[in-house]
Amino acid sequence: MSTVIPFESAKPAAALKPERVGVLLVNLGTPDTADAAGVRVYLKEFLSDPRVIEDQGLLWKLILNGIILRVRPARKARDYLKIWNTEQNESPLKTITRSQADKLAEAIADHDHVVVDWAMRYGNPSIKERIEALAAQGCGRLLVVPLYPQYSAATSATVCDEAFRVLAGMRAQPILRVTPPYYDDPDYIEALAVSINAHLATLPFQPEIIVASFHGMPKEYVDKGDPYQVQCIATTNALRKRLGLDANGLILTFQSRFGKAEWLQPYTDKTVEKLAKDGVRRIAVVTPGFSADCLETLEEIAQENAEIFRHNGGEQFAAIPCLNDSDGGMDVIRQLVLRELQGWI
């Protein structure tokens, strides 16, 4: 004979607080300090991720610990110093991501049970720290927002990996959703086009060519099935159509290659060099794969590639800012979040 416990006498669950919904914006990451020690810690975490460097065998560990982490941190620290937010003693990526979270919270403040936070995949604040903080605030549902317009295993997937690892250690797990990539979302394409046109209108010159530079990836990863390249092409095609440009007016390239393996081509730096040598004197570069300005846009594009262009005969170079926390950029994030929160708010 079974015993029935009256509902009213049952012990209440531990969490009787009204259920809240957490929204966690996540970007790639940044060193905590713009010195060799800070960059070393960051690079070790980043380059030890098998989603970023898939072959984590003994040879790679020897190269990473014996060469890269001995040589690269000091050089990259000098690059970070060129763009560092000295007022807040942090990288621009951290400053912008925090602002994106603050502005999103303000934009959806009428949903008072939604809590917005932000994290970095590598570095601080960590995904683990912020998921635990949201859970402590009573968030029984969690929307993770990887701030990458185009999906790749080395960006979006590793955010999910880390979120799942955190949840695996929790007894009371929040219900989890993850926003999809938004590479061809009409709101995103429109925001990019408006931003590009607004920036071009401020320039003292008319670019002959616009270069759309996306972060690179080893070609092998795409050959194995990563959809990243296809999505970059889709973004570029949609942007061409919206801006009324052909394949010669807006060209697609890939930047930030690392190591000796073949990466996705054409390479941004080689393209910029060739354009200058071929007689192109005025270009603008936009980076539609980045939701916020960072080392790769502020130093690699706006400084390094600008110098390559001018050194080879180019005259006028413009780096168009990312959407960042602009009104257009925030509208993209807000629409994406509200769409994925349907049924929860």
Side-chain angles (χ1 to χ4, degrees), residues 32-106:
D32 289 332
T33 56
D35 55 23
V39 174
R40 185 176 296 109
V41 171
Y42 170 72
L43 285 179
K44 184 173 179 62
E45 183 182 9
F46 176 55
L47 296 175
S48 296
D49 186 344
R51 288 287 197 181
V52 176
I53 304 295
E54 293 188 357
D55 184 359
Q56 290 282 327
L58 179 59
L59 178 59
W60 171 247
K61 293 183 187 303
L62 289 173
I63 293 172
L64 176 61
N65 293 288
I67 301 174
I68 294 173
L69 294 180
R70 291 176 181 269
V71 177
R72 195 170 178 83
R75 187 168 75 247
K76 298 308 290 183
R78 288 193 292 271
D79 291 339
Y80 272 105
L81 280 173
K82 298 174 186 176
I83 65 159
W84 203 250
N85 179 348
T86 54
E87 184 177 337
Q88 294 185 247
N89 192 28
E90 63 187 20
S91 74
L93 181 63
K94 185 174 285 190
T95 304
I96 294 166
T97 307
R98 179 191 298 109
S99 180
Q100 289 171 327
D102 290 345
K103 288 187 175 183
L104 176 63
E106 183 179 352

Side-chain angles (χ1 to χ4, degrees), residues 24-285:
L24 187 66
L25 306 185
V26 184
N27 216 315
L28 185 72
T30 171
D32 289 332
T33 56
D35 55 23
V39 174
R40 185 176 296 109
V41 171
Y42 170 72
L43 285 179
K44 184 173 179 62
E45 183 182 9
F46 176 55
L47 296 175
S48 296
D49 186 344
R51 288 287 197 181
V52 176
I53 304 295
E54 293 188 357
D55 184 359
Q56 290 282 327
L58 179 59
L59 178 59
W60 171 247
K61 293 183 187 303
L62 289 173
I63 293 172
L64 176 61
N65 293 288
I67 301 174
I68 294 173
L69 294 180
R70 291 176 181 269
V71 177
R72 195 170 178 83
R75 187 168 75 247
K76 298 308 290 183
R78 288 193 292 271
D79 291 339
Y80 272 105
L81 280 173
K82 298 174 186 176
I83 65 159
W84 203 250
N85 179 348
T86 54
E87 184 177 337
Q88 294 185 247
N89 192 28
E90 63 187 20
S91 74
L93 181 63
K94 185 174 285 190
T95 304
I96 294 166
T97 307
R98 179 191 298 109
S99 180
Q100 289 171 327
D102 290 345
K103 288 187 175 183
L104 176 63
E106 183 179 352
I108 61 175
D110 52 327
H111 302 286
D112 56 9
H113 64 301
V114 177
V115 182
V116 180
D117 208 334
W118 61 282
M120 295 291 171
R121 173 59 186 90
Y122 312 103
N124 295 300
S126 69
I127 292 174
K128 182 177 189 296
E129 172 193 331
R130 300 327 301 164
I131 286 181
E132 290 177 348
L134 288 168
Q137 294 177 72
C139 295
R141 300 172 187 265
L142 175 64
L143 176 66
V144 174
V145 186
L147 291 173
Y148 310 110
Q150 299 80 25
Y151 172 96
S152 81
T155 55
S156 306
T158 192
V159 168
C160 294
D161 290 346
E162 185 62 16
F164 297 151
R165 272 193 291 269
V166 174
L167 265 61
M170 300 174 70
R171 181 170 296 277
Q173 293 180 336
I175 298 169
L176 182 67
R177 288 180 181 175
V178 181
T179 56
Y182 51 96
Y183 60 95
D184 61 351
D185 186 290
D187 293 329
Y188 165 63
I189 299 301
E190 180 65 20
L192 280 176
V194 170
S195 174
I196 290 169
N197 284 330
H199 190 77
L200 293 180
T202 69
L203 298 178
F205 67 93
Q206 182 70 30
E208 299 165 64
I209 292 173
I210 299 175
V211 177
S213 181
F214 294 82
H215 200 288
M217 170 184 289
K219 182 177 180 296
E220 178 187 9
Y221 293 8
V222 171
D223 293 341
K224 290 179 178 179
D226 199 296
Y228 178 69
Q229 183 182 31
V230 169
Q231 294 187 6
C232 292
I233 292 171
T235 297
T236 306
N237 285 338
L239 196 52
R240 283 174 181 148
K241 182 177 180 180
R242 171 59 180 80
L243 293 173
L245 297 171
D246 60 19
N248 294 317
L250 176 63
I251 61 177
L252 179 152
T253 64
F254 295 94
Q255 65 181 85
S256 309
R257 66 187 183 280
F258 174 77
K260 296 182 178 180
E262 181 183 357
W263 281 45
L264 296 179
Q265 296 191 40
Y267 299 139
T268 299
D269 56 355
K270 298 299 183 184
T271 300
V272 165
E273 178 182 346
K274 186 176 187 303
L275 288 173
K277 288 181 175 178
D278 288 348
V280 175
R281 293 293 172 259
R282 304 178 304 279
I283 67 170
V285 181

